[in-house]
Amino acid sequence: MASNVDIKALFESGVHFGHKTSHWNPKMAPYIHSKRQESHIINLEKTVQGLEVALPFITRVVANGKQVLFVGTKKHTKDIIRESAIASKQPYMTERWLGGTLTNVATVTQQIKKLKDLEKRMVSGDLEKRYSKLEVQRFQEEIDDLNIKYGGIKDLNGKPGALLVIDVIGDTNAIKEAKTLGIPIVAIVDTNADPTLIDYVIPGNDDAIKGVQLILDYVSSAIAEGTKSEKTKVEPVIDKLKDAPKEK
């Protein structure tokens, strides 16, 4: 995995562009290369090092049957984050972090159960049989609203194995909840954020769409590798169960 991280591609994608020097967090000093035109330049060698540690960790999480929850609610990057999560078959939250998503499981589970039940009844035609067109339309609006809030975590199986955060400052509440539960956090950390909150720091520009996409591509590859490893572990167990002698 480490050899696949291309420092030239990171540079060409603008991952090295930090914020203005007046908006920096001094704790990011070890990850900063220099200053240019009143802006900080991120040391891409540190970015490569961060990815070389974070990507194998993500692979291990997935190989052990755990999920990676993608979190990124910033307006101009949320679409690519959602698409990447869906392609990797991982849960995501990209509209707004709902307080208690991780720490108030009972309430969240109840809402997801309600959503799935309404969707099932809508697809089966049960709602159409029982209610008027106007009432069915209102049910559909409720389904749409619940999907905006909870659609990305409908298939979240318990506590995720890791959080992938794209905007450390914007999604600070997600980080706090993960910290409370001891969930490891992997994050792109820009020059204005606090890296000490993050377990696996990937120093980089969290605004550049090309840069975020490139890092998401690396993450997706790490997840695919983990999925393959998990499948390899599970299949021999299934084969053994198939070959086991039947009880009479």
Side-chain angles (χ1 to χ4, degrees), residues 63-97:
N64 288 327
K66 295 284 187 179
Q67 293 169 301
V68 178
L69 175 57
F70 285 51
V71 181
T73 57
K74 192 178 285 184
K75 191 173 182 181
H76 67 282
T77 54
K78 67 181 184 180
D79 289 343
I80 60 172
I81 295 163
R82 182 179 64 251
E83 288 164 12
S84 181
I86 291 171
S88 298
K89 297 181 180 178
Q90 298 298 315
Y92 62 90
M93 191 157 276
T94 55
E95 289 303 318
R96 182 172 70 86
W97 183 265

PDB file of all heavy atoms in Angstrom, residues 63-97:
ATOM      1  N   ALA A  63     -10.586  -5.639   7.255  1.00  0.00           N
ATOM      2  CA  ALA A  63     -10.269  -7.078   7.245  1.00  0.00           C
ATOM      3  C   ALA A  63     -10.802  -7.777   8.488  1.00  0.00           C
ATOM      4  O   ALA A  63     -11.116  -8.973   8.458  1.00  0.00           O
ATOM      5  CB  ALA A  63      -8.758  -7.281   7.136  1.00  0.00           C
ATOM      6  N   ASN A  64     -10.927  -7.024   9.579  1.00  0.00           N
ATOM      7  CA  ASN A  64     -11.459  -7.582  10.829  1.00  0.00           C
ATOM      8  C   ASN A  64     -12.979  -7.480  10.921  1.00  0.00           C
ATOM      9  O   ASN A  64     -13.558  -7.695  11.977  1.00  0.00           O
ATOM     10  CB  ASN A  64     -10.818  -6.876  12.034  1.00  0.00           C
ATOM     11  CG  ASN A  64      -9.364  -7.284  12.220  1.00  0.00           C
ATOM     12  OD1 ASN A  64      -8.982  -8.413  11.932  1.00  0.00           O
ATOM     13  ND2 ASN A  64      -8.538  -6.364  12.688  1.00  0.00           N
ATOM     14  N   GLY A  65     -13.606  -7.134   9.785  1.00  0.00           N
ATOM     15  CA  GLY A  65     -15.072  -7.119   9.731  1.00  0.00           C
ATOM     16  C   GLY A  65     -15.723  -5.862  10.272  1.00  0.00           C
ATOM     17  O   GLY A  65     -16.939  -5.827  10.485  1.00  0.00           O
ATOM     18  N   LYS A  66     -14.929  -4.819  10.497  1.00  0.00           N
ATOM     19  CA  LYS A  66     -15.472  -3.555  11.006  1.00  0.00           C
ATOM     20  C   LYS A  66     -15.676  -2.564   9.852  1.00  0.00           C
ATOM     21  O   LYS A  66     -15.108  -2.722   8.774  1.00  0.00           O
ATOM     22  CB  LYS A  66     -14.528  -2.944  12.047  1.00  0.00           C
ATOM     23  CG  LYS A  66     -14.377  -3.780  13.308  1.00  0.00           C
ATOM     24  CD  LYS A  66     -15.593  -3.651  14.189  1.00  0.00           C
ATOM     25  CE  LYS A  66     -15.400  -4.340  15.532  1.00  0.00           C
ATOM     26  NZ  LYS A  66     -16.581  -4.180  16.402  1.00  0.00           N
ATOM     27  N   GLN A  67     -16.476  -1.544  10.125  1.00  0.00           N
ATOM     28  CA  GLN A  67     -16.762  -0.540   9.107  1.00  0.00           C
ATOM     29  C   GLN A  67     -15.997   0.765   9.369  1.00  0.00           C
ATOM     30  O   GLN A  67     -15.627   1.059  10.501  1.00  0.00           O
ATOM     31  CB  GLN A  67     -18.264  -0.239   9.072  1.00  0.00           C
ATOM     32  CG  GLN A  67     -19.108  -1.413   8.592  1.00  0.00           C
ATOM     33  CD  GLN A  67     -20.596  -1.169   8.823  1.00  0.00           C
ATOM     34  OE1 GLN A  67     -21.031  -0.970   9.948  1.00  0.00           O
ATOM     35  NE2 GLN A  67     -21.366  -1.184   7.756  1.00  0.00           N
ATOM     36  N   VAL A  68     -15.801   1.528   8.291  1.00  0.00           N
ATOM     37  CA  VAL A  68     -15.200   2.853   8.383  1.00  0.00           C
ATOM     38  C   VAL A  68     -16.309   3.861   8.095  1.00  0.00           C
ATOM     39  O   VAL A  68     -16.892   3.856   7.011  1.00  0.00           O
ATOM     40  CB  VAL A  68     -14.047   3.036   7.370  1.00  0.00           C
ATOM     41  CG1 VAL A  68     -13.477   4.447   7.459  1.00  0.00           C
ATOM     42  CG2 VAL A  68     -12.953   1.999   7.610  1.00  0.00           C
ATOM     43  N   LEU A  69     -16.605   4.705   9.066  1.00  0.00           N
ATOM     44  CA  LEU A  69     -17.656   5.712   8.891  1.00  0.00           C
ATOM     45  C   LEU A  69     -17.052   6.986   8.300  1.00  0.00           C
ATOM     46  O   LEU A  69     -16.227   7.645   8.920  1.00  0.00           O
ATOM     47  CB  LEU A  69     -18.322   6.007  10.242  1.00  0.00           C
ATOM     48  CG  LEU A  69     -19.377   7.118  10.284  1.00  0.00           C
ATOM     49  CD1 LEU A  69     -20.503   6.845   9.289  1.00  0.00           C
ATOM     50  CD2 LEU A  69     -19.940   7.270  11.694  1.00  0.00           C
ATOM     51  N   PHE A  70     -17.474   7.316   7.066  1.00  0.00           N
ATOM     52  CA  PHE A  70     -16.998   8.518   6.390  1.00  0.00           C
ATOM     53  C   PHE A  70     -17.787   9.721   6.913  1.00  0.00           C
ATOM     54  O   PHE A  70     -19.017   9.690   6.919  1.00  0.00           O
ATOM     55  CB  PHE A  70     -17.234   8.416   4.873  1.00  0.00           C
ATOM     56  CG  PHE A  70     -16.308   7.499   4.134  1.00  0.00           C
ATOM     57  CD1 PHE A  70     -16.100   6.191   4.543  1.00  0.00           C
ATOM     58  CD2 PHE A  70     -15.659   7.939   2.988  1.00  0.00           C
ATOM     59  CE1 PHE A  70     -15.257   5.334   3.835  1.00  0.00           C
ATOM     60  CE2 PHE A  70     -14.819   7.096   2.264  1.00  0.00           C
ATOM     61  CZ  PHE A  70     -14.617   5.793   2.702  1.00  0.00           C
ATOM     62  N   VAL A  71     -17.083  10.766   7.313  1.00  0.00           N
ATOM     63  CA  VAL A  71     -17.736  11.978   7.810  1.00  0.00           C
ATOM     64  C   VAL A  71     -17.172  13.197   7.088  1.00  0.00           C
ATOM     65  O   VAL A  71     -15.962  13.435   7.111  1.00  0.00           O
ATOM     66  CB  VAL A  71     -17.536  12.156   9.339  1.00  0.00           C
ATOM     67  CG1 VAL A  71     -18.261  13.415   9.822  1.00  0.00           C
ATOM     68  CG2 VAL A  71     -18.022  10.940  10.098  1.00  0.00           C
ATOM     69  N   GLY A  72     -18.066  13.953   6.446  1.00  0.00           N
ATOM     70  CA  GLY A  72     -17.634  15.164   5.752  1.00  0.00           C
ATOM     71  C   GLY A  72     -18.833  15.985   5.338  1.00  0.00           C
ATOM     72  O   GLY A  72     -19.500  15.662   4.358  1.00  0.00           O
ATOM     73  N   THR A  73     -19.134  17.022   6.091  1.00  0.00           N
ATOM     74  CA  THR A  73     -20.358  17.800   5.843  1.00  0.00           C
ATOM     75  C   THR A  73     -20.087  19.135   5.144  1.00  0.00           C
ATOM     76  O   THR A  73     -21.005  19.934   4.971  1.00  0.00           O
ATOM     77  CB  THR A  73     -21.091  18.065   7.181  1.00  0.00           C
ATOM     78  OG1 THR A  73     -20.215  18.747   8.080  1.00  0.00           O
ATOM     79  CG2 THR A  73     -21.530  16.763   7.829  1.00  0.00           C
ATOM     80  N   LYS A  74     -18.846  19.379   4.769  1.00  0.00           N
ATOM     81  CA  LYS A  74     -18.527  20.625   4.054  1.00  0.00           C
ATOM     82  C   LYS A  74     -19.211  20.603   2.686  1.00  0.00           C
ATOM     83  O   LYS A  74     -19.128  19.608   1.959  1.00  0.00           O
ATOM     84  CB  LYS A  74     -17.010  20.762   3.896  1.00  0.00           C
ATOM     85  CG  LYS A  74     -16.559  22.138   3.432  1.00  0.00           C
ATOM     86  CD  LYS A  74     -15.052  22.219   3.348  1.00  0.00           C
ATOM     87  CE  LYS A  74     -14.412  22.318   4.715  1.00  0.00           C
ATOM     88  NZ  LYS A  74     -12.962  22.496   4.640  1.00  0.00           N
ATOM     89  N   LYS A  75     -19.866  21.705   2.362  1.00  0.00           N
ATOM     90  CA  LYS A  75     -20.748  21.761   1.191  1.00  0.00           C
ATOM     91  C   LYS A  75     -20.093  21.295  -0.114  1.00  0.00           C
ATOM     92  O   LYS A  75     -20.658  20.486  -0.847  1.00  0.00           O
ATOM     93  CB  LYS A  75     -21.289  23.184   1.019  1.00  0.00           C
ATOM     94  CG  LYS A  75     -22.410  23.297   0.005  1.00  0.00           C
ATOM     95  CD  LYS A  75     -23.015  24.693  -0.008  1.00  0.00           C
ATOM     96  CE  LYS A  75     -24.170  24.754  -1.005  1.00  0.00           C
ATOM     97  NZ  LYS A  75     -24.774  26.113  -1.052  1.00  0.00           N
ATOM     98  N   HIS A  76     -18.899  21.786  -0.421  1.00  0.00           N
ATOM     99  CA  HIS A  76     -18.324  21.504  -1.738  1.00  0.00           C
ATOM    100  C   HIS A  76     -17.573  20.168  -1.834  1.00  0.00           C
ATOM    101  O   HIS A  76     -17.138  19.781  -2.917  1.00  0.00           O
ATOM    102  CB  HIS A  76     -17.432  22.658  -2.202  1.00  0.00           C
ATOM    103  CG  HIS A  76     -16.205  22.848  -1.393  1.00  0.00           C
ATOM    104  ND1 HIS A  76     -16.207  23.460  -0.164  1.00  0.00           N
ATOM    105  CD2 HIS A  76     -14.919  22.496  -1.629  1.00  0.00           C
ATOM    106  CE1 HIS A  76     -14.984  23.496   0.309  1.00  0.00           C
ATOM    107  NE2 HIS A  76     -14.178  22.902  -0.549  1.00  0.00           N
ATOM    108  N   THR A  77     -17.422  19.464  -0.717  1.00  0.00           N
ATOM    109  CA  THR A  77     -16.758  18.148  -0.782  1.00  0.00           C
ATOM    110  C   THR A  77     -17.678  16.995  -0.376  1.00  0.00           C
ATOM    111  O   THR A  77     -17.311  15.838  -0.543  1.00  0.00           O
ATOM    112  CB  THR A  77     -15.501  18.113   0.113  1.00  0.00           C
ATOM    113  OG1 THR A  77     -15.849  18.512   1.447  1.00  0.00           O
ATOM    114  CG2 THR A  77     -14.411  19.033  -0.436  1.00  0.00           C
ATOM    115  N   LYS A  78     -18.867  17.296   0.148  1.00  0.00           N
ATOM    116  CA  LYS A  78     -19.714  16.226   0.687  1.00  0.00           C
ATOM    117  C   LYS A  78     -20.158  15.222  -0.378  1.00  0.00           C
ATOM    118  O   LYS A  78     -20.288  14.028  -0.089  1.00  0.00           O
ATOM    119  CB  LYS A  78     -20.924  16.799   1.416  1.00  0.00           C
ATOM    120  CG  LYS A  78     -21.927  17.525   0.548  1.00  0.00           C
ATOM    121  CD  LYS A  78     -23.074  18.065   1.412  1.00  0.00           C
ATOM    122  CE  LYS A  78     -24.139  18.725   0.555  1.00  0.00           C
ATOM    123  NZ  LYS A  78     -25.236  19.249   1.373  1.00  0.00           N
ATOM    124  N   ASP A  79     -20.349  15.684  -1.619  1.00  0.00           N
ATOM    125  CA  ASP A  79     -20.807  14.774  -2.673  1.00  0.00           C
ATOM    126  C   ASP A  79     -19.765  13.704  -3.001  1.00  0.00           C
ATOM    127  O   ASP A  79     -20.092  12.525  -3.130  1.00  0.00           O
ATOM    128  CB  ASP A  79     -21.165  15.551  -3.945  1.00  0.00           C
ATOM    129  CG  ASP A  79     -22.443  16.361  -3.786  1.00  0.00           C
ATOM    130  OD1 ASP A  79     -23.222  16.078  -2.843  1.00  0.00           O
ATOM    131  OD2 ASP A  79     -22.676  17.283  -4.590  1.00  0.00           O
ATOM    132  N   ILE A  80     -18.492  14.131  -3.123  1.00  0.00           N
ATOM    133  CA  ILE A  80     -17.457  13.143  -3.462  1.00  0.00           C
ATOM    134  C   ILE A  80     -17.199  12.200  -2.280  1.00  0.00           C
ATOM    135  O   ILE A  80     -16.838  11.037  -2.477  1.00  0.00           O
ATOM    136  CB  ILE A  80     -16.145  13.805  -3.936  1.00  0.00           C
ATOM    137  CG1 ILE A  80     -15.544  14.711  -2.849  1.00  0.00           C
ATOM    138  CG2 ILE A  80     -16.352  14.562  -5.228  1.00  0.00           C
ATOM    139  CD1 ILE A  80     -14.147  15.227  -3.201  1.00  0.00           C
ATOM    140  N   ILE A  81     -17.410  12.699  -1.066  1.00  0.00           N
ATOM    141  CA  ILE A  81     -17.250  11.843   0.118  1.00  0.00           C
ATOM    142  C   ILE A  81     -18.347  10.785   0.147  1.00  0.00           C
ATOM    143  O   ILE A  81     -18.084   9.602   0.379  1.00  0.00           O
ATOM    144  CB  ILE A  81     -17.266  12.695   1.411  1.00  0.00           C
ATOM    145  CG1 ILE A  81     -16.047  13.628   1.450  1.00  0.00           C
ATOM    146  CG2 ILE A  81     -17.282  11.805   2.658  1.00  0.00           C
ATOM    147  CD1 ILE A  81     -16.173  14.771   2.429  1.00  0.00           C
ATOM    148  N   ARG A  82     -19.573  11.222  -0.105  1.00  0.00           N
ATOM    149  CA  ARG A  82     -20.705  10.281  -0.130  1.00  0.00           C
ATOM    150  C   ARG A  82     -20.509   9.227  -1.230  1.00  0.00           C
ATOM    151  O   ARG A  82     -20.691   8.035  -0.996  1.00  0.00           O
ATOM    152  CB  ARG A  82     -22.015  11.043  -0.357  1.00  0.00           C
ATOM    153  CG  ARG A  82     -23.259  10.135  -0.344  1.00  0.00           C
ATOM    154  CD  ARG A  82     -24.558  10.897  -0.536  1.00  0.00           C
ATOM    155  NE  ARG A  82     -24.620  11.530  -1.843  1.00  0.00           N
ATOM    156  CZ  ARG A  82     -24.535  12.838  -2.050  1.00  0.00           C
ATOM    157  NH1 ARG A  82     -24.373  13.663  -1.033  1.00  0.00           N
ATOM    158  NH2 ARG A  82     -24.596  13.333  -3.270  1.00  0.00           N
ATOM    159  N   GLU A  83     -20.134   9.683  -2.422  1.00  0.00           N
ATOM    160  CA  GLU A  83     -19.932   8.755  -3.546  1.00  0.00           C
ATOM    161  C   GLU A  83     -18.829   7.745  -3.245  1.00  0.00           C
ATOM    162  O   GLU A  83     -18.949   6.555  -3.584  1.00  0.00           O
ATOM    163  CB  GLU A  83     -19.593   9.546  -4.820  1.00  0.00           C
ATOM    164  CG  GLU A  83     -20.780  10.300  -5.397  1.00  0.00           C
ATOM    165  CD  GLU A  83     -20.366  11.375  -6.397  1.00  0.00           C
ATOM    166  OE1 GLU A  83     -19.184  11.375  -6.810  1.00  0.00           O
ATOM    167  OE2 GLU A  83     -21.223  12.204  -6.765  1.00  0.00           O
ATOM    168  N   SER A  84     -17.766   8.202  -2.618  1.00  0.00           N
ATOM    169  CA  SER A  84     -16.657   7.314  -2.271  1.00  0.00           C
ATOM    170  C   SER A  84     -17.089   6.271  -1.246  1.00  0.00           C
ATOM    171  O   SER A  84     -16.737   5.091  -1.356  1.00  0.00           O
ATOM    172  CB  SER A  84     -15.484   8.137  -1.729  1.00  0.00           C
ATOM    173  OG  SER A  84     -14.392   7.314  -1.418  1.00  0.00           O
ATOM    174  N   ALA A  85     -17.863   6.711  -0.249  1.00  0.00           N
ATOM    175  CA  ALA A  85     -18.350   5.786   0.785  1.00  0.00           C
ATOM    176  C   ALA A  85     -19.272   4.733   0.185  1.00  0.00           C
ATOM    177  O   ALA A  85     -19.162   3.543   0.485  1.00  0.00           O
ATOM    178  CB  ALA A  85     -19.076   6.571   1.881  1.00  0.00           C
ATOM    179  N   ILE A  86     -20.185   5.177  -0.681  1.00  0.00           N
ATOM    180  CA  ILE A  86     -21.132   4.248  -1.313  1.00  0.00           C
ATOM    181  C   ILE A  86     -20.382   3.226  -2.173  1.00  0.00           C
ATOM    182  O   ILE A  86     -20.661   2.034  -2.121  1.00  0.00           O
ATOM    183  CB  ILE A  86     -22.169   5.021  -2.157  1.00  0.00           C
ATOM    184  CG1 ILE A  86     -23.105   5.820  -1.231  1.00  0.00           C
ATOM    185  CG2 ILE A  86     -22.985   4.064  -3.029  1.00  0.00           C
ATOM    186  CD1 ILE A  86     -24.026   6.792  -1.955  1.00  0.00           C
ATOM    187  N   ALA A  87     -19.418   3.719  -2.951  1.00  0.00           N
ATOM    188  CA  ALA A  87     -18.626   2.823  -3.812  1.00  0.00           C
ATOM    189  C   ALA A  87     -17.846   1.798  -2.987  1.00  0.00           C
ATOM    190  O   ALA A  87     -17.654   0.655  -3.413  1.00  0.00           O
ATOM    191  CB  ALA A  87     -17.666   3.636  -4.677  1.00  0.00           C
ATOM    192  N   SER A  88     -17.428   2.205  -1.789  1.00  0.00           N
ATOM    193  CA  SER A  88     -16.667   1.309  -0.909  1.00  0.00           C
ATOM    194  C   SER A  88     -17.569   0.493   0.019  1.00  0.00           C
ATOM    195  O   SER A  88     -17.072  -0.265   0.854  1.00  0.00           O
ATOM    196  CB  SER A  88     -15.676   2.128  -0.064  1.00  0.00           C
ATOM    197  OG  SER A  88     -14.737   2.781  -0.877  1.00  0.00           O
ATOM    198  N   LYS A  89     -18.899   0.713  -0.101  1.00  0.00           N
ATOM    199  CA  LYS A  89     -19.888   0.014   0.732  1.00  0.00           C
ATOM    200  C   LYS A  89     -19.657   0.266   2.219  1.00  0.00           C
ATOM    201  O   LYS A  89     -19.698  -0.647   3.037  1.00  0.00           O
ATOM    202  CB  LYS A  89     -19.890  -1.492   0.419  1.00  0.00           C
ATOM    203  CG  LYS A  89     -20.300  -1.800  -1.015  1.00  0.00           C
ATOM    204  CD  LYS A  89     -20.317  -3.283  -1.296  1.00  0.00           C
ATOM    205  CE  LYS A  89     -20.742  -3.549  -2.739  1.00  0.00           C
ATOM    206  NZ  LYS A  89     -20.717  -4.985  -3.077  1.00  0.00           N
ATOM    207  N   GLN A  90     -19.395   1.544   2.522  1.00  0.00           N
ATOM    208  CA  GLN A  90     -19.177   1.954   3.903  1.00  0.00           C
ATOM    209  C   GLN A  90     -20.225   2.996   4.307  1.00  0.00           C
ATOM    210  O   GLN A  90     -20.758   3.704   3.450  1.00  0.00           O
ATOM    211  CB  GLN A  90     -17.775   2.549   4.069  1.00  0.00           C
ATOM    212  CG  GLN A  90     -16.643   1.584   3.760  1.00  0.00           C
ATOM    213  CD  GLN A  90     -16.612   0.367   4.674  1.00  0.00           C
ATOM    214  OE1 GLN A  90     -16.758   0.475   5.886  1.00  0.00           O
ATOM    215  NE2 GLN A  90     -16.427  -0.810   4.076  1.00  0.00           N
ATOM    216  N   PRO A  91     -20.533   3.103   5.586  1.00  0.00           N
ATOM    217  CA  PRO A  91     -21.502   4.098   6.049  1.00  0.00           C
ATOM    218  C   PRO A  91     -20.925   5.509   5.943  1.00  0.00           C
ATOM    219  O   PRO A  91     -19.708   5.689   5.906  1.00  0.00           O
ATOM    220  CB  PRO A  91     -21.740   3.710   7.510  1.00  0.00           C
ATOM    221  CG  PRO A  91     -20.490   3.003   7.925  1.00  0.00           C
ATOM    222  CD  PRO A  91     -19.998   2.287   6.701  1.00  0.00           C
ATOM    223  N   TYR A  92     -21.820   6.486   5.891  1.00  0.00           N
ATOM    224  CA  TYR A  92     -21.362   7.870   5.759  1.00  0.00           C
ATOM    225  C   TYR A  92     -22.355   8.839   6.385  1.00  0.00           C
ATOM    226  O   TYR A  92     -23.543   8.528   6.551  1.00  0.00           O
ATOM    227  CB  TYR A  92     -21.170   8.231   4.280  1.00  0.00           C
ATOM    228  CG  TYR A  92     -22.443   8.141   3.462  1.00  0.00           C
ATOM    229  CD1 TYR A  92     -23.301   9.248   3.324  1.00  0.00           C
ATOM    230  CD2 TYR A  92     -22.811   6.952   2.835  1.00  0.00           C
ATOM    231  CE1 TYR A  92     -24.469   9.155   2.592  1.00  0.00           C
ATOM    232  CE2 TYR A  92     -23.977   6.850   2.104  1.00  0.00           C
ATOM    233  CZ  TYR A  92     -24.804   7.963   1.975  1.00  0.00           C
ATOM    234  OH  TYR A  92     -25.976   7.865   1.255  1.00  0.00           O
ATOM    235  N   MET A  93     -21.862  10.013   6.730  1.00  0.00           N
ATOM    236  CA  MET A  93     -22.704  11.123   7.171  1.00  0.00           C
ATOM    237  C   MET A  93     -22.151  12.389   6.549  1.00  0.00           C
ATOM    238  O   MET A  93     -21.058  12.842   6.893  1.00  0.00           O
ATOM    239  CB  MET A  93     -22.755  11.222   8.695  1.00  0.00           C
ATOM    240  CG  MET A  93     -23.817  12.194   9.180  1.00  0.00           C
ATOM    241  SD  MET A  93     -24.359  11.874  10.876  1.00  0.00           S
ATOM    242  CE  MET A  93     -25.581  10.601  10.600  1.00  0.00           C
ATOM    243  N   THR A  94     -22.913  12.942   5.583  1.00  0.00           N
ATOM    244  CA  THR A  94     -22.411  14.081   4.814  1.00  0.00           C
ATOM    245  C   THR A  94     -23.330  15.302   4.824  1.00  0.00           C
ATOM    246  O   THR A  94     -22.946  16.351   4.306  1.00  0.00           O
ATOM    247  CB  THR A  94     -22.154  13.673   3.344  1.00  0.00           C
ATOM    248  OG1 THR A  94     -23.351  13.111   2.805  1.00  0.00           O
ATOM    249  CG2 THR A  94     -21.024  12.659   3.240  1.00  0.00           C
ATOM    250  N   GLU A  95     -24.529  15.168   5.365  1.00  0.00           N
ATOM    251  CA  GLU A  95     -25.436  16.327   5.390  1.00  0.00           C
ATOM    252  C   GLU A  95     -25.187  17.181   6.637  1.00  0.00           C
ATOM    253  O   GLU A  95     -24.830  18.328   6.558  1.00  0.00           O
ATOM    254  CB  GLU A  95     -26.891  15.871   5.333  1.00  0.00           C
ATOM    255  CG  GLU A  95     -27.293  15.306   3.980  1.00  0.00           C
ATOM    256  CD  GLU A  95     -27.060  16.285   2.829  1.00  0.00           C
ATOM    257  OE1 GLU A  95     -27.361  17.488   2.991  1.00  0.00           O
ATOM    258  OE2 GLU A  95     -26.556  15.849   1.775  1.00  0.00           O
ATOM    259  N   ARG A  96     -25.397  16.594   7.777  1.00  0.00           N
ATOM    260  CA  ARG A  96     -25.165  17.292   9.043  1.00  0.00           C
ATOM    261  C   ARG A  96     -24.943  16.237  10.109  1.00  0.00           C
ATOM    262  O   ARG A  96     -25.663  15.243  10.144  1.00  0.00           O
ATOM    263  CB  ARG A  96     -26.382  18.155   9.396  1.00  0.00           C
ATOM    264  CG  ARG A  96     -26.222  18.953  10.682  1.00  0.00           C
ATOM    265  CD  ARG A  96     -27.377  19.928  10.858  1.00  0.00           C
ATOM    266  NE  ARG A  96     -28.633  19.269  11.163  1.00  0.00           N
ATOM    267  CZ  ARG A  96     -29.046  18.930  12.393  1.00  0.00           C
ATOM    268  NH1 ARG A  96     -28.271  19.168  13.444  1.00  0.00           N
ATOM    269  NH2 ARG A  96     -30.214  18.359  12.580  1.00  0.00           N
ATOM    270  N   TRP A  97     -23.941  16.454  10.944  1.00  0.00           N
ATOM    271  CA  TRP A  97     -23.709  15.495  12.028  1.00  0.00           C
ATOM    272  C   TRP A  97     -24.801  15.670  13.069  1.00  0.00           C
ATOM    273  O   TRP A  97     -24.977  16.747  13.633  1.00  0.00           O
ATOM    274  CB  TRP A  97     -22.343  15.695  12.666  1.00  0.00           C
ATOM    275  CG  TRP A  97     -22.094  14.658  13.739  1.00  0.00           C
ATOM    276  CD1 TRP A  97     -22.310  14.796  15.074  1.00  0.00           C
ATOM    277  CD2 TRP A  97     -21.643  13.322  13.532  1.00  0.00           C
ATOM    278  NE1 TRP A  97     -22.006  13.620  15.728  1.00  0.00           N
ATOM    279  CE2 TRP A  97     -21.597  12.690  14.799  1.00  0.00           C
ATOM    280  CE3 TRP A  97     -21.272  12.582  12.406  1.00  0.00           C
ATOM    281  CZ2 TRP A  97     -21.184  11.379  14.974  1.00  0.00           C
ATOM    282  CZ3 TRP A  97     -20.859  11.275  12.586  1.00  0.00           C
ATOM    283  CH2 TRP A  97     -20.818  10.687  13.849  1.00  0.00           C
TER     284      TRP A  97
END
